[in-house]
Amino acid sequence: MSTTTVQEVRTAADALVAAFAESRLDDYFGAFAPDATFIFHTTPQRLSSTAEYRALWQQWVEQDGFRILGCTSSAQLIQHFGDTAVFSHEVETRVATNAGQETVHERETIVFTRADDGGWVAVHEHLSARTAA
């Protein structure tokens, strides 16, 4: 695996996580391909597009007052397979809802593929719960 490829994927992943942590939703959702898929332990069904995920996010905001207060990423691993790369890490996210604030501990895998412009775009995200260390 080339050092350049790892750095490119790390840059794409870091930008995605930063946009999420800072609630820059256009940048966050823009990091995903339109036909990306999403599997979340908090959602009973697979989401089959970025638009579907964004609509669900809006529903969380409207119904629960959902907002991101911050997010940190650790234990990052990047695996490169041709035009595909797998980024996995542990995330600690501070969220607020109408019920109050909480810190959520999760593991996340994001699959990236090389885009037509040579950059990296996320095509799948899988989020699972983890116990706090």
Side-chain angles (χ1 to χ4, degrees):
M1 170 171 17
S2 81
T3 304
T4 301
T5 298
V6 170
Q7 188 54 49
E8 289 171 353
V9 173
R10 184 172 314 284
T11 297
D14 287 349
L16 186 154
V17 172
F20 175 82
E22 298 165 9
S23 296
R24 290 183 285 110
L25 298 184
D26 288 341
D27 292 337
Y28 173 62
F29 288 110
F32 293 95
D35 60 349
T37 54
F38 304 86
I39 297 176
F40 303 134
H41 63 98
T42 56
T43 305
Q45 76 283 3
R46 178 181 55 232
L47 304 174
S48 59
S49 70
T50 300
E52 188 177 347
Y53 176 21
R54 191 161 193 163
L56 179 61
W57 184 295
Q58 188 59 38
Q59 183 180 339
W60 294 336
V61 169
E62 291 170 4
Q63 292 179 356
D64 304 323
F66 176 79
R67 66 186 195 281
I68 302 297
L69 302 176
C71 179
T72 56
S73 170
S74 62
Q76 297 177 346
L77 174 66
I78 295 171
Q79 299 167 279
H80 175 230
F81 307 97
D83 285 341
T84 303
V86 177
F87 171 76
S88 58
H89 63 147
E90 295 183 1
V91 288
E92 183 178 290
T93 306
R94 290 180 300 110
V95 300
T97 64
N98 295 335
Q101 295 182 15
E102 70 175 309
T103 299
V104 182
H105 302 271
E106 296 164 310
R107 287 188 183 105
E108 181 176 51
T109 300
I110 303 172
V111 179
F112 288 89
T113 191
R114 177 124 11 228
D116 291 340
D117 67 2
W120 292 88
V121 62
V123 295
H124 179 74
E125 177 181 348
H126 186 151
L127 197 60
S128 61
R130 73 174 171 89
T131 54

